[in-house]
Amino acid sequence: MKTEEAIQILKQDGHKYTDKRRDMLNIFVEEDKYINAKHIQQQMDTNYPGISFDTIYRNLHLFKELSIIEGTELDGEMKFRIACTDHHHHHFICECCGDTKVIEFCPMDDIQQRLPNVAINTHKLEVYGICEKCL
């Protein structure tokens, strides 16, 4: 997802456009990996000195609620990345740097066959490890 797409989602849902929100979204688009709230706050502090964690977390919650960003838990803390919207896939996530790699394979057909008497509504597959850069 690009920044303009995310802004359109905000506007369509009746939320106000602000420069802070744009800058926050730009961080996600530029980083294109899982990052934590502290990293976002440090990046935002350059243009918005003293920006509070409350502001960061409020916007993270809103962006996640609108499926603009995705979240995962790494090392006991929530980390976020811009949502992938172009096609269905899963991710390998580096536990050191948060970098992600696309996994094109989806095991849901096999899982549904192995669980024939259940109704699966949604799923999310994440594979964790160490990327080649961090090894």
Side-chain angles (χ1 to χ4, degrees):
M1 181 178 302
K2 303 290 184 220
T3 303
E4 290 305 318
E5 293 173 75
I7 290 169
Q8 284 305 105
I9 292 169
L10 282 168
K11 288 179 179 179
Q12 288 170 358
D13 204 60
H15 298 282
K16 190 166 61 169
Y17 163 81
T18 66
D19 288 340
K20 283 182 188 173
R21 285 183 174 161
R22 174 182 285 282
D23 290 349
M24 222 173 136
L25 291 166
N26 281 334
I27 292 168
F28 281 112
V29 170
E30 290 167 14
E31 295 279 343
D32 195 29
K33 65 180 182 178
Y34 281 96
I35 54 178
N36 63 20
K38 182 176 181 179
H39 179 82
I40 297 163
Q41 193 268 341
Q42 289 169 339
Q43 297 287 326
M44 295 286 290
D45 197 57
T46 304
N47 293 328
Y48 307 97
I51 190 169
S52 71
F53 272 112
D54 283 348
T55 299
I56 300 297
Y57 280 111
R58 258 193 322 275
N59 282 291
L60 287 173
H61 178 75
L62 175 62
F63 296 165
K64 193 164 187 300
E65 185 179 290
L66 296 175
S67 299
I68 293 170
I69 61 172
E70 303 170 352
T72 193
E73 189 174 324
L74 276 170
D75 297 327
E77 74 174 325
M78 285 302 295
K79 295 191 178 184
F80 306 91
R81 65 166 280 136
I82 197 73
C84 298
T85 57
D86 55 349
H87 69 284
H88 179 78
H89 63 269
H90 300 286
H91 291 122
F92 165 86
I93 303 167
C94 180
E95 294 171 310
C96 290
C97 69
D99 198 15
T100 61
K101 297 186 181 307
V102 172
I103 301 170
E104 297 291 349
F105 171 74
C106 182
M108 287 311 298
D109 289 339
D110 188 44
I111 291 170
Q112 186 66 69
Q113 287 177 357
R114 293 172 188 262
L115 300 169
N117 299 319
V118 302
I120 298 172
N121 297 322
T122 188
H123 71 279
K124 180 178 181 180
L125 174 68
E126 295 175 336
V127 178
Y128 298 91
I130 309 297
C131 73
E132 59 274 354
K133 290 183 288 185
C134 295
L135 274 176

